[in-house]
Amino acid sequence: GAGRRLAGFLRGPARRSGRGAVPMRCCAPRSPAWGARGRSAAPVVDFGDPQEAFRSKSSAELLRGLVVLGLCAVGPLVEHNRELLQLGRRVLGQALFERLMKMTFYGQFVAGEDQEAIKPLIRRNRAFGVGAVLDYSVEEDLSPARAERQELALAKLGIATKAESQHWFTGENVGESGTVDLLDWNSLIDSRTKLSKLLLVPNIKTRQLEPLLSHFTEEEELQMKRMLQRMDVLAKRATETGVRLMVDAEQSYFQPAISRLTLEMQRRFNRERAVIFNTHQCYLKEAYDNVSVDVELSRREGWHFGTKLVRGAYMDQERERAAKIGYEDPINPTYEKTNEMYHRCLDYVLEEIKHSRKANVMVATHNEDTVKFTLRRMMELGIHPSEKKVCFGQLLGMCDQITFPLGQAGFPVYKYVPYGPVDEVLPYLSRRAQENRGFMQRANQERDLLWREFKRRLFAGTIFSTNP
Ligand SMILES: Cc1cc2nc3c(=O)[nH]c(=O)nc-3n(C[C@H](O)[C@H](O)[C@H](O)COP(=O)(O)OP(=O)(O)OC[C@H]3O[C@@H](n4cnc5c(N)ncnc54)[C@H](O)[C@@H]3O)c2cc1C
């Protein structure tokens, strides 16, 4: 559903508008020494200092990180994680199971059950110079009743209001020739337009354009309509409140539709600034083409380009499916090729920022080399962090040694903050466990830093201190 595709992108409201809670800025970010060194020297941000990385964490959180990342290194546990979770729930009972999850995996990777529960964590991170991208991480389609409840919840968070969702666009955008303008967001979300007339896809065999939705039931068409309308409510509200929205990328067999709809939203809402961010996955062979075509379009049409650049999360699934059905693997052949692709796409967007200042990018990665590459290129191209054209993103519970030093050095950096009821975020947790196993070297480095900081506090006698 639209709810999980769109993540609200928050930063300290006190800085922007003076509204909301005053951030507990116990450690003001240092200003990066931009240009003080040679033009090509990368700014110094130390990603290997455990005290700096985990300053915001209690000792109990350090211990939890050690245990959880340690468990992620045990192959059979990760391989059979779904079965083990189900077994755990059956043996322990729901209440005890939830408690155990909150002390471990859920506590590590998920911020809480709802918007209220996640506020303390968001405030604490903000005090250390780290913003939040809220991500309702329920990995399934929502029932209309649930979606309605969620819309109400979003209204409370200040993104959508119930009243707004009642006022849909009116007026079909029929051109002079009597055809509906395919590229018009208003038509897409107008409840009177039949979507099947608007969304056309090429049939490879007949080489004709066919309605995408002709095989959909009335109910499915209605669901699609509701999703578009919810996206519209969210985007308008985001525009009003100065929040940005990020649309996540998924498997390649969904992605063209997601990208297409996101592009329509960008055309409509990114006129003054980048409200809507798309996501580009650099493990795809076609990533550079996708990024450059979208940037070119934004340039020609005069809107603000915004993307979250990731490597991509569904490699195994993509390859399996391609092999099974017998089409070309859409993923780059090696990890090195994906890295090359990431840096090529990133460089293209950075060059665009240098030339027009209308493009925006979130470098969403846990890869230290890529972060260092970005810092160096920003310096070389004269893109100052305070312009906020380039920001960084890591997932909650992972790679604090990258996030917090960046925040402290004054770079715009965000944690992706997943939230939702324990049972419903289990698929998300499975993916995190798998990812941490897949990249042992990084997880090892993180565990080593956690352990060093834990020992330091132990010997310094600050293990129980609230300000270690
Ligand atoms: C803030 C944030 C938001 C995210 N949002 C999304 C999203 O919307 N959609 C999405 O799909 N993912 C998303 N991700 C996950 C992301 O795509 C990666 O799976 C994850 O971040 C690991 O990549 P990395 O760059 O951090 O680390 P690295 O360890 O440097 O890279 C690992 C990645 O490299 C690629 N790779 C590994 N081995 C190979 C190989 N043999 N051949 C080709 N490529 C290979 C894979 O993409 C793998 O995930 C997000 C990540 C972050 C931090």
Side-chain angles (χ1 to χ4, degrees):
R4 93 184 157 83
R5 302 248 64 75
L6 291 160
F9 194 2
L10 308 176
R11 185 78 183 185
R15 268 197 220 163
R16 203 172 39 236
S17 64
R19 286 194 297 115
V22 177
M24 309 172 291
R25 181 163 294 285
C26 51
C27 315
R30 294 177 210 126
S31 174
W34 218 246
R37 275 162 263 116
R39 269 180 73 78
S40 60
V44 183
V45 184
D46 186 355
F47 298 119
D49 176 353
Q51 193 174 350
E52 187 76 3
F54 304 118
R55 200 186 285 279
S56 73
K57 297 280 178 293
S58 70
S59 302
E61 286 169 322
L62 297 185
L63 208 54
R64 183 187 64 200
L66 275 167
V67 171
V68 169
L69 295 180
L71 288 173
C72 288
V74 183
L77 278 186
V78 177
E79 235 160 80
H80 303 290
N81 73 78
R82 279 167 212 269
E83 295 86 340
L84 286 170
L85 288 173
Q86 275 169 11
L87 183 74
R89 191 182 315 141
R90 268 210 309 277
V91 172
L92 297 175
Q94 187 64 20
L96 208 58
F97 174 73
E98 280 198 12
R99 203 131 161 230
L100 184 68
M101 290 307 289
K102 282 187 177 166
M103 284 167 66
T104 55
F105 290 91
Y106 182 94
Q108 177 76 12
F109 297 119
V110 184
E113 305 233 7
D114 53 37
Q115 286 97 336
E116 269 316 302
I118 65 178
K119 278 183 182 164
L121 182 136
I122 289 174
R123 287 202 194 108
R124 178 156 54 123
N125 281 355
R126 196 194 293 152
F128 287 86
V130 175
V133 182
L134 304 192
D135 183 12
Y136 190 68
S137 300
V138 174
E139 306 219 341
E140 54 164 26
D141 277 336
L142 304 173
S143 69
R146 279 274 306 284
E148 178 130 333
R149 279 207 302 282
Q150 200 178 316
E151 212 165 81
L152 277 169
L154 285 167
K156 277 195 218 137
L157 191 72
I159 293 181
T161 67
K162 188 76 178 92
E164 272 171 310
S165 65
Q166 313 293 333
H167 298 296
W168 306 122
F169 280 93
T170 52
E172 221 167 302
N173 191 0
V174 181
E176 278 174 11
S177 61
T179 56
V180 176
D181 178 3
L182 287 189
L183 306 179
D184 189 85
W185 178 253
N186 291 6
S187 317
L188 273 176
I189 67 151
D190 188 329
S191 54
R192 295 175 312 169
T193 320
K194 265 202 95 55
L195 276 180
S196 48
K197 283 196 290 177
L198 290 178
L199 295 173
L200 303 174
V201 286
N203 179 325
I204 294 168
K205 280 192 196 130
T206 63
R207 297 181 176 273
Q208 297 290 314
L209 281 178
E210 289 178 354
L212 175 69
L213 299 182
S214 61
H215 310 300
F216 279 20
T217 62
E218 286 263 307
E219 175 53 28
E220 283 164 342
E221 171 144 352
L222 246 156
Q223 275 184 11
M224 176 89 173
K225 206 97 225 191
R226 283 196 215 108
M227 180 193 75
L228 291 168
Q229 290 173 339
R230 283 202 294 274
M231 282 163 68
D232 188 65
V233 169
L234 290 171
K236 277 185 180 158
R237 192 66 178 155
T239 307
E240 284 166 18
T241 53
V243 170
R244 285 162 287 177
L245 288 180
M246 309 198 107
V247 182
D248 283 353
E250 299 292 324
Q251 291 87 340
S252 58
Y253 36 95
F254 297 133
Q255 200 45 38
I258 296 172
S259 269
R260 176 61 209 277
L261 292 176
T262 308
L263 193 81
E264 297 311 332
M265 286 172 81
Q266 291 184 313
R267 281 179 162 145
R268 165 85 174 78
F269 295 101
N270 286 8
R271 303 234 176 94
E272 306 295 324
R273 61 181 190 90
V275 176
I276 309 291
F277 276 60
N278 203 349
T279 298
H280 288 94
Q281 295 161 309
C282 298
Y283 65 9
L284 293 178
K285 287 174 184 161
E286 59 176 29
Y288 184 78
D289 292 345
N290 292 342
V291 172
S292 51
V293 163
D294 288 359
V295 167
E296 177 61 35
L297 204 64
S298 72
R299 205 183 292 154
R300 270 196 231 163
E301 297 179 350
W303 45 269
H304 292 246
F305 176 81
T307 188
K308 160 160 66 87
L309 267 195
V310 299
R311 281 188 169 74
Y314 306 102
M315 184 175 74
D316 294 341
Q317 228 176 316
E318 293 282 2
R319 287 192 168 152
E320 247 169 58
R321 188 171 187 270
K324 200 163 142 201
I325 300 180
Y327 58 89
E328 189 194 328
D329 181 2
I331 309 288
N332 293 313
T334 61
Y335 176 56
E336 288 67 32
K337 287 277 175 210
T338 292
N339 291 346
E340 244 171 62
M341 181 64 94
Y342 194 105
H343 290 194
R344 207 168 142 225
C345 293
L346 177 58
D347 223 26
Y348 184 86
V349 180
L350 292 175
E351 290 277 354
E352 180 65 18
I353 294 172
K354 182 188 169 194
H355 292 302
S356 84
R357 271 5 194 215
K358 268 187 153 183
N360 303 264
V361 62
M362 172 183 269
V363 181
T365 181
H366 303 125
N367 185 311
E368 198 178 306
D369 290 338
T370 299
V371 172
K372 285 181 177 160
F373 171 85
T374 315
L375 298 182
R376 199 186 72 236
R377 290 298 288 144
M378 284 172 73
M379 186 85 135
E380 285 167 359
L381 296 168
I383 304 169
H384 198 276
S386 65
E387 294 177 74
K388 300 206 160 95
K389 294 275 131 196
V390 182
C391 64
F392 297 87
Q394 286 83 42
L395 304 174
L396 186 75
M398 289 172 71
C399 286
D400 288 346
Q401 76 274 18
I402 291 184
T403 313
F404 285 86
L406 278 175
Q408 285 299 296
F411 290 91
V413 61
Y414 297 82
K415 277 292 190 199
Y416 238 54
V417 177
Y419 67 99
V422 177
D423 269 349
E424 308 201 36
V425 298
L426 290 183
Y428 174 84
L429 289 177
S430 290
R431 282 204 293 149
R432 293 290 77 83
Q434 259 149 9
E435 183 168 324
N436 278 293
R437 185 189 62 154
F439 307 101
M440 285 289 290
Q441 206 187 344
R442 196 179 49 220
N444 280 345
Q445 188 198 356
E446 193 165 354
R447 269 159 54 206
D448 176 53
L449 289 172
L450 280 164
W451 182 233
R452 275 167 53 195
E453 174 60 2
F454 191 77
K455 272 197 308 199
R456 188 196 65 78
R457 291 186 194 179
L458 198 64
F459 291 126
T462 56
I463 200 97
F464 298 114
S465 164
T466 48
N467 193 8

